[in-house]
Amino acid sequence: MASTKSVCVRAGTPADSAAITGLQEAGFGMRYGSDESEFRGGTFPVERSLVAVEGDRIVGHTVDRTMTITVPGDRTVRACGVSGVAVAPTHRRRGILRELYRAQHARTEADGLPLTVFTASEGTIYGRFGYEVAVLATSIAIDTRRVEFRSTTPDPGGVTLETLADSVARIREIYQRWQTVTAGAQVRPDAEWDLLFADVERHRQGATTLFVLLHADGYALYRRSRRENRDIASVRELRALTCDAHAALWRVLLGLDLVDTVEAEIAEDDPLGYLLTDPRTVRLTHRGDTLWARVMDVPAALTARTYRADLDTVVAVHDPFREAGGNFALRIRDGIAECEPTTRSPILAFDINVLGGLYFGAHRASTFAAAHRITVEDPAALRAFDAAFTTDRAPQLGWAF
Ligand SMILES: CC(C)(COP(=O)(O)OP(=O)(O)OC[C@H]1O[C@@H](n2cnc3c(N)ncnc32)[C@H](O)[C@@H]1OP(=O)(O)O)[C@@H](O)C(=O)NCCC(=O)NCCS
C-alpha cells in the first residue's frame, strides 16, 4: 500500500473540475444531474479547492468558502465553511484526509477566520481534528388524520399558495430576516439560491417540484410524493419569523387534503407539538447533527458572540491537532466578552471540541461536564460558566453544504 509520501496537496484549478466531480460522485455514491452543471462551482469555486494528487491523479479533495453566520446575540462571525470532502476509495485510510485538513486549517488561519464549520457524513471522523456537533435538528413525521389543534392555537391565516418562480424575491427577503436573528444560520449565497430555485431533479428524488406557501413573515417549501401506499408532503424548508407565521403555515400543511403524512426537519425547540392536542402526533423519526464547528482562534471566536451572564474565569483549552489551545482569561460583562491568553491557573479545562459544541448554544456546559468532558473542581464555577454560555433559542442551520 502506498503512503501519503507519494501524495502532495495543492490548490485546485479549473482543469481539475471533472476529476473532482468524479471523485465526489464515487465518494458519496451519487451522480450529479446534467441540469446541475450551470450551478456547480458557484457556491464553492474550484479555485477554493485543495486537491491531493498522486502523479497526475487527484485522489483527495476539500473545498471551502467564507461564510457569515449568526451567533448568539444576533451578531455574526465569519467562518470557513468546508465542503466536498472525499478521498478516492483506492487511497483511503492512509492519512490523505489528515493532510488535507492540515492544509485546510493553514489556509483558514491565513484568512484570519476564527471558526471552521461543515456538515459531516459520519460522526466518527472529525472529533480527532477538534470538531464538535454545533447544531442539531429533529426529523419528524405527522399523521395528518390524527391532527387536532388546541383551542389556544392561533388561526391567523394570511398564507397564499404561490409558484416558485413568482416567490423568489419574497422568499429571499424572509430568509434574510430570519437568518439574521437565528444562531447557526448562514447568509445564503446567490449561487445557492439559484440552485434551490432551479429545483433540480436530484433534489426531488421522485417527488414533485416544490410547492410554495407564503406568509408575510414566513414561507414553507414542500413536495408531494407517494411511498408505501401513503401520500406524503415533505417540507424542504420552513422559515417563520413570528409565532403567527409558524402557526399559519403549519395549519395549512397539516390540513392538506389527500395527504397521510407530513415530514419535516425542525429545530430542537420548535413549538409545533405544543400547538396540538396530542403531542405524540409529532413523531420523532431522527435526531441528528447538522453543523459541526471548530474554534480556530479562541479569543477571536469567544469575543464574536454574546453571553447571558457575567463571568470571570480562566479556561485551559487543549488542542492537540492545531495547538490553538492554552490558558485563556475570559471576562464577560453585560453579554460582551474579553478573552486573552493568561498565565493564571485554569478553573475549567476541556478539549477545544467543547468550545465548538457550546458556540451556537446547541449544548450545555453542564452536560459536557456530566460526560467528563469539562474538568472543574468547583460546582459554582461550572454553574457560572453554564449560565453565561446558555442561549435563549436552539440554533438552526440555514442551508446545508
Ligand atoms: C471519510 C474520508 C474522507 C476519509 O479519508 P481518509 O483519507 O481515508 O482518512 P485518513 O486516512 O486521513 O484518516 C484520518 C483519521 O480519520 C479516521 N477515519 C477516516 N475516515 C473515517 C471514518 N469514515 N470513520 C471513522 N474514522 C475515520 C482514520 O482512521 C484516521 O484515524 P487516526 O489517524 O486518528 O488513527 C474518505 O473515507 C471518504 O472519502 N469517504 C466517503 C465520502 C465521505 O464520507 N466524505 C466525508 C464528508 S464529510
Side-chain angles (χ1 to χ4, degrees):
M1 184 187 277
S3 74
T4 46
K5 291 199 182 86
S6 58
V7 173
C8 71
V9 173
R10 63 162 170 81
T13 71
D16 299 324
S17 295
I20 291 170
T21 299
L23 190 69
Q24 288 181 327
E25 289 180 337
F28 295 109
M30 43 69 95
R31 291 284 184 204
Y32 289 107
S34 53
D35 55 351
E36 288 177 77
S37 52
E38 74 172 281
F39 308 106
R40 304 214 43 250
T43 304
F44 292 98
V46 68
E47 290 77 11
R48 293 300 302 181
S49 286
L50 287 171
V51 289
V53 182
E54 186 178 59
D56 59 359
R57 202 171 272 276
I58 292 177
V59 293
H61 173 258
T62 70
V63 67
D64 71 85
R65 94 174 262 126
T66 301
M67 296 184 179
T68 301
I69 312 181
T70 304
V71 296
D74 301 347
R75 293 172 151 210
T76 57
V77 68
R78 273 164 37 88
C80 171
V82 181
S83 188
V85 176
V87 169
T90 50
H91 286 66
R92 65 196 282 281
R93 307 303 180 268
R94 61 180 77 167
I96 293 177
L97 175 68
R98 188 174 277 275
E99 283 311 308
L100 282 165
Y101 257 78
R102 278 208 187 91
Q104 185 68 61
H105 284 161
R107 179 191 265 186
T108 309
E109 196 171 334
D111 290 345
L113 301 174
L115 205 69
T116 299
V117 294
F118 53 70
T119 59
S121 61
E122 294 189 71
T124 41
I125 308 172
Y126 294 103
R128 58 174 54 76
F129 303 139
Y131 291 84
E132 186 60 59
V133 173
V135 179
L136 292 156
T138 303
S139 299
I140 54 157
I142 300 177
D143 180 347
T144 55
R145 314 215 186 251
R146 290 180 52 209
V147 166
E148 189 188 341
F149 286 94
R150 300 179 82 92
S151 59
T152 46
T153 299
D155 189 3
V159 177
T160 53
L161 178 67
E162 306 286 348
T163 66
L164 196 56
D166 287 344
S167 320
V168 169
R170 284 182 66 193
I171 289 173
R172 289 188 63 153
E173 181 271 327
I174 292 165
Y175 177 89
Q176 194 260 332
R177 278 195 283 143
W178 172 85
Q179 180 265 318
T180 53
V181 296
T182 305
Q186 327 95 297
V187 170
R188 204 176 204 149
D190 287 342
E192 203 54 31
W193 281 118
D194 292 344
L195 179 63
L196 175 73
F197 292 124
D199 203 4
V200 296
E201 196 171 350
R202 186 170 59 87
H203 292 180
R204 289 182 231 151
Q205 299 189 318
T208 65
T209 52
L210 289 168
F211 293 96
V212 180
L213 298 175
L214 263 187
H215 179 278
D217 295 313
Y219 62 84
L221 310 178
Y222 70 95
R223 304 182 190 285
R224 294 282 300 271
S225 61
R226 188 165 172 80
R227 289 199 307 268
E228 295 165 1
N229 287 327
R230 290 184 75 78
D231 286 301
I232 318 273
S234 307
V235 178
R236 157 87 204 250
E237 185 165 312
L238 187 152
R239 305 295 179 216
L241 274 134
T242 62
C243 300
D244 271 4
H246 177 268
L249 289 165
W250 275 109
R251 274 192 181 271
V252 177
L253 285 167
L254 298 181
L256 286 171
D257 281 326
L258 308 180
V259 168
D260 300 300
T261 308
V262 177
E263 301 171 339
E265 196 176 86
I266 59 175
E268 290 281 284
D269 59 355
D270 193 295
L272 180 58
Y274 297 67
L275 302 181
L276 308 177
T277 52
D278 179 359
R280 288 188 191 176
T281 315
V282 182
R283 193 162 49 83
L284 192 154
T285 54
H286 181 71
R287 180 174 183 263
D289 48 271
T290 55
L291 198 71
W292 288 64
R294 185 203 207 282
V295 166
M296 304 295 291
D297 176 328
V298 174
L302 290 190
T303 52
R305 58 160 282 184
T306 63
Y307 299 84
R308 280 245 306 238
D310 290 352
L311 184 70
D312 281 290
T313 196
V314 175
V315 295
V317 180
H318 184 53
D319 182 12
F321 189 65
R322 262 195 74 242
E323 297 176 5
N327 289 3
F328 298 91
L330 180 60
R331 181 176 189 275
I332 298 169
R333 289 290 177 278
D334 300 325
I336 306 300
E338 291 169 7
C339 181
E340 56 186 17
T342 183
T343 51
R344 284 160 57 198
S345 301
I347 296 168
L348 302 107
F350 40 78
D351 286 343
I352 198 153
N353 307 51
V354 167
L355 283 184
L358 295 178
Y359 196 70
F360 293 105
H363 309 280
R364 306 242 346 215
S366 52
T367 314
F368 277 115
H372 296 268
R373 293 186 56 189
I374 293 179
T375 308
V376 53
E377 298 278 318
D378 177 5
L382 175 62
R383 273 198 301 277
F385 190 73
D386 193 35
F389 275 78
T390 300
T391 57
D392 293 332
R393 296 274 320 278
Q396 269 181 277
L397 181 66
W399 52 277
F401 57 99

